[in-house]
Amino acid sequence: MKKPIRVNIFFLILILLQIYGGYLLKPIAKVIKFNTASLLLTTQILFLIVPVIIYLIVTRQSIKETLRFNRLKIRSASLIVVMGFLFIPVAMFLSQITSFFFYNNVQDVFKKLQNLPLGLMIGLVALTPALCEEITMRGVVLSGYNGSKIWKAALINGFLFGILHLNPPQFLYAFVLGVMLAYVVRITNSIFASMIIHFIFNGTNTAMSWVVMRMSSDVLKKSQQNANNVTVKIMSVVFLGVISAIAVVAIITLMKELIKDNKGNNINLRLEGSSEVMLVKDKIIAAVPIIISVVIYFLLVMKKI
């Protein structure tokens, strides 16, 4: 079976687990009472890491090669850290655009975790996804597109990453983040590159939310009212649009520097020497699991509108 077909089927299974995995947890929930924190940790491990382990066992692929457990150069790591912080205003801009159409329910999750110490909250919302989601998406799924050009692999990976969240308010920035993460992994040939950016992004958002939730009720109420004001939203979009445009230019510049710093990994910028030939029939078969995943996603979106 061709690699893209395998990983696309794998991705469809992930989607089904995200939706119906709760039913699998019911027998366990009768014995162990899950709170929001333990549920987040359990679902990340059971519905992301366990499928990855099974996939690697069944396909007999090299763990190191598939997941790209390779060292980062110090200069590359420095560039990647800066890129992680630069993406934050871009995500804020995209999130603000999405807020015109969908309620930002991500904050509801933070509210359920607000009594946790900041360190534990960052561990759950930032570190765990940075490990589990990256091993899954920029590890297994991206490896299935080793035979594709970097831009194509990155766009597909970003699109699938947006869908994986099964949450419309997150799709736009998750898609763009996924594209960026796929690029840095292919350029550096190291999954640690995407883990760093993912952790910085989630960790910064978590820390900001934690601080906001500890503001006085009057200040918090006023900030929420301002956030819901259409005029304020439009002004915010314009301001964030300018800042994010500058950030995007900076990210592209740093990406070029990252390529120069990893010339020895230029194999990741081309076809990666894949000998697999995808016939029209293979491409159709490979597209089927993705089409099913997209249909499922839109059905869920329609229920949330």
Side-chain angles (χ1 to χ4, degrees), residues 121-139:
M121 194 170 172
I122 287 177
L124 283 169
V125 184
L127 182 59
T128 302
L131 297 174
C132 298
E133 291 180 7
E134 290 312 307
I135 286 173
T136 305
M137 292 302 301
R138 257 62 63 181

Side-chain angles (χ1 to χ4, degrees), residues 30 43 59 67 92 105-106 189 218 224 270 272 302:
K30 291 179 180 178
T43 53
T59 60
L67 303 184
M92 290 173 69
N105 54 12
V106 177
N189 197 31
D218 291 337
Q224 288 174 339
R270 51 188 177 84
E272 296 206 351
M302 293 305 294

Side-chain angles (χ1 to χ4, degrees), residues 8 33 40 78 91 120 175 187 194 220 234 239 242 254 300:
N8 288 354
K33 189 176 181 180
L40 280 174
S78 301
L120 183 55
F175 165 64
I187 291 170
S194 62
L220 186 58
I234 294 173
F239 174 74
V242 173
L254 292 177
L300 287 173

